[in-house]
Amino acid sequence: MGWRSTIPQSDVSHGADLSRTLAALPPGVDLRLLRYFVMVAETLNFRVAAERLNMSQPPLSRAIQELELRLGVVLFQRDRRNVALSRAGAQFLSDVRGVLADMEKAVERVRLAERGLKGQINIGYFGSLIYSFIPWLLAAYQELYPLVEPRLFNLPKDQQVGAMLEGRIDVGFARQYPVRSGLTSEALVDENLVLATPTGRALAGRNLVSLADLDGEPMVVFPRLPRPSFADSVLAMIAAAGAVPAAVTEMDDAAGCLAMVSAGRGSAVMPASMRMFHSPATVFVPFAAPVPTSPLACLYPAGTLPVVVENFLAVARSRAEAFVRT
């Protein structure tokens, strides 16, 4: 029984899985034979086809005969003067063009992927960075690498560590990370902190405040978990300044923290980028020098990294300083 096409034309035209397409070909039929066949089919002249393939005519004729033998069908009707495609040959030509087009696309994809210009990057994040740095970074990255698809995963820091060790994410972002063998934590830049305080409070009317001014002030901190975290850093700064908050309310995230400030429950020390969230019930007041800061850190596997990850980190490093100046 001869070979018949099992390649759906719709699959070929829409980029069907190439390995499945090639598996449909009979044993011994490779891309070399397919390219020979297409050239003969397009020229309908063995001599011209051989010249374009930079080979002599006899090996080309033998290759086509071998292809017909392996397929079990006649692809060309030929006599001493003319060469024409058979009905089976015309159908096969349509299918083979799709196979070769898919192969060219696959080669182009793998070349782009090797250079980090195409593919996917999985990014873990946690905390207030999703409101500020992450979208800003993604916009800059996509401008340079539009064919790479970024995927975001909202994961606490300890879960980011586990996901990275298991290969589920490529890079992570948070304020700080625990030390873990096999992973690298890099502080990209220090971001200035500001005080978010309810409208009408005495501190809201100040041009500048200090951490010592928070003595006796009810405070709202975030995140509640995991610890240690940005919340612990803030409380440590306040304590180092000799201030003792009247009360401390812990919230899960920055959005909840701002909601509590707007509700009048207390003030909050927050990254300066959170000033983008305007509320008539909240005032953001800068700190006087020395201005307290918080690190903006990224996490990635130690050792040699895929090019797509190296490219992403290069953009993050180059744009981090510009981000804190915006």
Side-chain angles (χ1 to χ4, degrees), residues 12-321:
V12 171
S13 61
H14 291 89
D17 181 74
L18 184 59
S19 61
R20 187 173 68 248
T21 301
L22 294 176
L25 297 173
V29 177
D30 56 24
L31 293 175
R32 175 184 60 90
L33 289 178
L34 297 183
R35 292 190 177 98
Y36 288 177
F37 163 73
V38 170
M39 185 60 72
V40 175
E42 289 179 345
T43 61
L44 295 178
N45 187 304
F46 277 82
R47 179 184 59 79
V48 174
E51 290 175 354
R52 293 183 181 179
L53 290 167
N54 294 316
M55 61 188 299
S56 59
Q57 183 174 334
L60 177 60
S61 297
R62 288 194 296 270
I64 296 300
Q65 291 171 359
E66 178 186 352
L67 179 61
E68 290 178 320
L69 179 63
R70 292 187 179 279
L71 297 179
V73 297
V74 175
L75 298 174
F76 295 99
Q77 303 289 349
R78 45 194 182 273
D79 55 32
R80 292 183 177 180
R81 294 186 177 182
N82 300 303
V83 176
L85 277 169
S86 67
R87 179 176 298 182
Q91 176 61 51
F92 190 57
L93 177 62
S94 176
D95 289 339
V96 169
R97 279 174 170 159
V99 172
L100 295 180
D102 274 3
M103 175 56 73
E104 290 178 1
K105 292 176 183 177
V107 170
E108 180 64 17
R109 285 195 296 268
V110 76
R111 286 174 175 169
L112 290 172
E114 180 68 17
R115 295 159 55 196
L117 300 177
K118 187 177 181 66
Q120 176 182 310
I121 185 165
N122 297 324
I123 305 161
Y125 70 88
F126 183 69
S128 61
L129 295 179
I130 192 59
Y131 302 113
S132 54
F133 181 69
I134 295 297
W136 191 88
L137 170 60
L138 290 182
Y141 178 73
Q142 290 282 262
E143 185 177 347
L144 295 173
Y145 301 95
L147 299 181
V148 179
E149 178 188 4
R151 294 190 177 180
L152 295 175
F153 300 86
N154 185 7
L155 298 170
K157 293 174 289 185
D158 54 343
Q159 293 184 31
Q160 284 189 36
V161 169
M164 189 165 293
L165 292 173
E166 294 169 4
R168 291 186 286 115
I169 63 172
D170 302 302
V171 63
F173 290 94
R175 292 290 167 183
Q176 52 188 272
Y177 286 100
V179 177
R180 183 64 183 265
S181 176
L183 301 179
T184 299
S185 175
E186 177 181 342
L188 296 175
V189 70
D190 287 329
E191 183 178 2
N192 287 350
L193 300 178
V194 296
L195 183 70
T197 191
T199 302
R201 289 279 181 90
L203 293 178
R206 301 270 296 273
N207 292 325
L208 294 171
V209 294
S210 69
L211 290 169
D213 293 330
L214 302 181
D215 188 51
E217 180 75 9
M219 299 300 300
V220 186
V221 298
F222 72 97
R224 180 182 289 115
L225 293 172
R227 308 301 276 266
S229 69
F230 177 68
D232 297 297
S233 297
V234 167
L235 293 174
M237 292 176 188
I238 294 173
V244 179
V248 175
T249 301
E250 296 183 355
M251 299 302 298
D252 288 333
D253 55 27
C257 183
L258 276 177
M260 283 296 188
V261 173
S262 296
R265 288 295 300 273
S267 298
V269 176
M270 310 195 78
S273 55
M274 296 302 295
R275 289 178 296 187
M276 70 175 65
F277 293 95
H278 301 289
S279 168
T282 302
V283 175
F284 290 94
V285 185
F287 281 101
V291 178
T293 61
S294 175
L296 191 160
C298 65
L299 185 74
Y300 51 89
T304 303
L305 297 171
V307 178
V308 67
V309 179
E310 289 282 14
N311 291 345
F312 186 81
L313 290 173
V315 175
R317 292 175 183 125
S318 67
R319 302 300 177 92
E321 190 66 41

Side-chain angles (χ1 to χ4, degrees), residues 1-12:
M1 184 175 182
W3 177 90
R4 64 184 180 85
S5 175
T6 60
I7 307 170
Q9 189 61 37
S10 60
D11 284 352
V12 171

